[in-house]
Amino acid sequence: MITLGIETSCDETSVALLETISEAKNNANFGAPITYRVLAHTTFSQIDIHAVYGGVFPVIAKREHARRLIPLLLHTIHEANLEMTPINQTPESLTTARDTVTSILKEKESDLLAILLDSPFMTARPAIDRIAVTVGPGLEPALWVGVNFAQALTTLWNIPVIPVNHMEGHIVSTFLKEKTVEIPSSPILALLVSGGHTELVRTEFSSAGANCTFSYSILGSTRDDAVGEAYDKVARMMNLPYPGGPVIARLAQTARDRFALSKTTNPITLPRPMLHSPDLDFSFSGLKTSVLYLIEKMKTGSADQATMSPETIENIALAFEDAVTEVLITKTRKALEQQADTATPIQALIIGGGVIANTHIRVAFEALACEFSIPLELPARDLTGDNALMIALAGALKNNFAPEKLKAVGNLSLEN
Ligand code: KG4
Ligand code: ZN
């Protein structure tokens, strides 16, 4: 089966063509392996466009998705060497097809409509079996581009479409091993750490016939900023480029290496919000405010009263990353301990989302998984950020075909 994945929830326009050979769907325990092949996977990152604003602008994200999506899909189909089957070969059927996609896209996606009407997709369709599209959570104007495009394609090509929750995509991104899709035994504890989310989720997978069911129960989440968002905001406070995660991580590592070499410790420490609260919730806005006060203090004490030394910036990055890591680890440990007392204790820990690109955090979680003697599944580094491959996989694993009309939902929860 070949699934086309479409992802436009934030600032990456991404499409993927995933082939899965699934004997496992009829196996209640997912015992048999699902083999897969990535036929092609292309992502256009808008980061450079948004970097000048220090964050993602929804209207610009929408415009860029609309411009890029169809050329990107054409390129991806070409890369995959997928055959295109002729459709709408008579003038009448072509007119009907044009009228149909116009009625779907006219109101909201005029840019996309103009490109689609001129594209080969009006008269030929690739040999794919289904479409999987991100319907939320994310920036609604950005989500709608992918959703409306999928709606037009499903009608034009007469193939089913599966709505996918973006966070579910981050979860299943951890299942992609070298050649097979490996689903750990349930229940699983998933920690999702991205620019929009910080969530601990108890996750169960089951299958009834050919239909896999995923069920989620959110054990804890952030009460304010998401962890990736905190990285981005702290970076902005220090005039560092967007996205803040990779740059803070690099500076923190420089400081970590320097202290290790000199056998000294960081003079800066920052608070660990909600570390000892009895629940499994997170809060990062207090930490961000502490960084802000610290920066003000450091600038006042610096030679030119306006800037900080590179060393001070590195030390702040390290103190911030240490605080974040300790909070994430402590809350996940608490969740594992609480779940150990239930009738069905956690069998595996998985971590998804952009922040798990962070090497220091990855290593800390490897130690935590050892402590509990459970397997830890992390996404490959090139799949930590937003991508359509994880969306295609989520769509390939289930049969929850969309009702007549797809809908983008900015604040979609995994529990819906
Ligand atoms: O999952 P993702 O690509 O997009 C969302 O769904 O939000 O996550 C993006 C977030 C950004 O906030 C970015 O700063 C953060 O992931 N990030 C990192 C690292 N790489 C990206 N955070 C910490 N360390 C990193 N190496
Ligand atoms: Zn994401």
Side-chain angles (χ1 to χ4, degrees):
M1 181 176 73
I2 297 177
T3 306
L4 163 64
I6 301 174
E7 157 65 35
T8 65
S9 70
C10 190
D11 57 353
E12 321 281 352
T13 316
S14 187
V15 293
L17 289 161
L18 172 73
E19 184 177 22
T20 44
I21 301 152
S22 165
E23 299 116 49
K25 283 230 161 147
N26 293 317
N27 182 312
N29 300 314
F30 294 98
I34 304 168
T35 50
Y36 79 91
R37 227 161 35 105
V38 181
L39 302 180
H41 179 206
T42 329
T43 301
F44 172 79
S45 173
Q46 303 173 5
I47 281 180
D48 292 344
I49 298 166
H50 296 286
V52 288
Y53 306 102
V56 181
F57 252 67
V59 178
I60 296 177
K62 173 186 166 72
R63 185 195 69 194
E64 289 303 311
H65 288 311
R67 277 186 189 167
R68 305 278 173 184
L69 205 41
I70 291 170
L72 208 64
L73 179 55
L74 277 168
H75 168 83
T76 310
I77 290 169
H78 182 74
E79 283 250 295
N81 264 325
L82 267 197
E83 215 173 292
M84 296 281 279
T85 314
I87 51 167
N88 303 324
Q89 295 298 293
T90 65
E92 296 76 30
S93 66
L94 184 57
T95 305
T96 310
R98 292 179 76 87
D99 290 348
T100 307
V101 295
T102 302
S103 71
I104 295 169
L105 298 177
K106 182 178 65 187
E107 304 293 330
K108 305 170 219 141
E109 311 291 346
S110 50
D111 291 353
L112 188 70
L113 175 63
I115 306 173
L116 181 59
L117 288 175
D118 262 352
S119 76
F121 298 146
M122 297 303 298
T123 51
R125 46 153 292 194
I128 61 174
D129 301 290
R130 55 170 67 177
I131 301 171
V133 63
T134 305
V135 293
L139 303 171
E140 258 187 38
L143 286 165
W144 271 114
V145 181
V147 165
N148 283 324
F149 185 46
Q151 186 79 58
L153 292 184
T154 185
T155 317
L156 196 58
W157 295 346
N158 196 23
I159 51 170
V161 61
I162 311 237
V164 174
N165 183 308
H166 179 82
M167 303 318 289
E168 187 165 72
H170 279 302
I171 289 178
V172 304
S173 72
T174 65
F175 301 167
L176 284 168
K177 302 304 167 196
E178 205 181 332
K179 288 198 176 93
T180 54
V181 177
E182 287 169 24
I183 303 176
S185 309
S186 281
I188 298 164
L189 181 67
L191 171 67
L192 299 172
V193 279
S194 71
H197 288 79
T198 308
E199 281 176 346
L200 277 163
V201 189
R202 187 184 151 101
T203 305
E204 295 197 42
F205 301 101
S206 58
S207 84
N211 201 350
C212 303
T213 315
F214 296 55
S215 72
Y216 304 102
S217 155
I218 297 173
L219 306 176
S221 58
T222 182
R223 296 196 180 167
D224 38 60
D225 292 349
V227 55
E229 186 181 3
Y231 265 94
D232 296 336
K233 287 180 175 169
V234 165
R236 192 156 14 147
M237 287 174 198
M238 298 197 283
N239 292 322
L240 299 168
Y242 171 84
V247 63
I248 297 254
R250 185 170 45 75
L251 295 170
Q253 192 53 43
T254 307
R256 201 174 283 121
D257 293 343
R258 175 162 38 76
F259 289 120
L261 207 66
S262 62
K263 298 196 169 60
T264 54
T265 52
N266 193 351
I268 298 172
T269 52
L270 287 165
R272 275 94 169 115
M274 294 185 67
L275 193 67
H276 300 297
S277 69
D279 51 52
L280 297 172
D281 284 346
F282 303 84
S283 163
F284 292 104
S285 92
L287 172 60
K288 177 193 69 187
T289 311
S290 301
V291 175
L292 186 66
Y293 290 150
L294 183 68
I295 292 171
E296 292 305 319
K297 203 170 103 199
M298 292 290 183
K299 279 187 182 168
T300 315
S302 79
D304 68 1
Q305 305 281 300
T307 55
M308 297 179 292
S309 72
E311 260 190 26
T312 303
I313 294 176
E314 288 159 12
N315 294 354
I316 293 174
L318 176 60
F320 171 77
E321 189 160 282
D322 282 349
V324 163
T325 309
E326 190 176 340
V327 170
L328 294 178
I329 292 287
T330 305
K331 289 289 175 172
T332 308
R333 179 184 288 116
K334 192 173 283 178
L336 288 170
E337 282 165 359
Q338 286 181 8
Q339 292 293 313
D341 295 336
T342 64
T344 48
I346 296 296
Q347 303 295 309
L349 173 62
I350 64 183
I351 318 211
V355 177
I356 202 61
N358 187 295
T359 303
H360 180 72
I361 298 176
R362 286 175 91 99
V363 170
F365 274 103
E366 276 158 16
L368 184 71
C370 271
E371 191 183 314
F372 283 83
S373 302
I374 52 169
L376 169 70
E377 306 298 342
L378 302 177
R381 275 178 197 278
D382 58 347
L383 294 179
T384 53
D386 292 346
N387 67 84
L389 188 58
M390 66 186 194
I391 304 303
L393 177 61
L397 290 176
K398 46 207 260 180
N399 283 340
N400 63 325
F401 297 110
E404 216 153 280
K405 239 174 164 197
L406 286 167
K407 191 171 180 310
V409 181
N411 62 356
L412 187 66
S413 164
L414 274 173
E415 287 178 342
N416 288 150

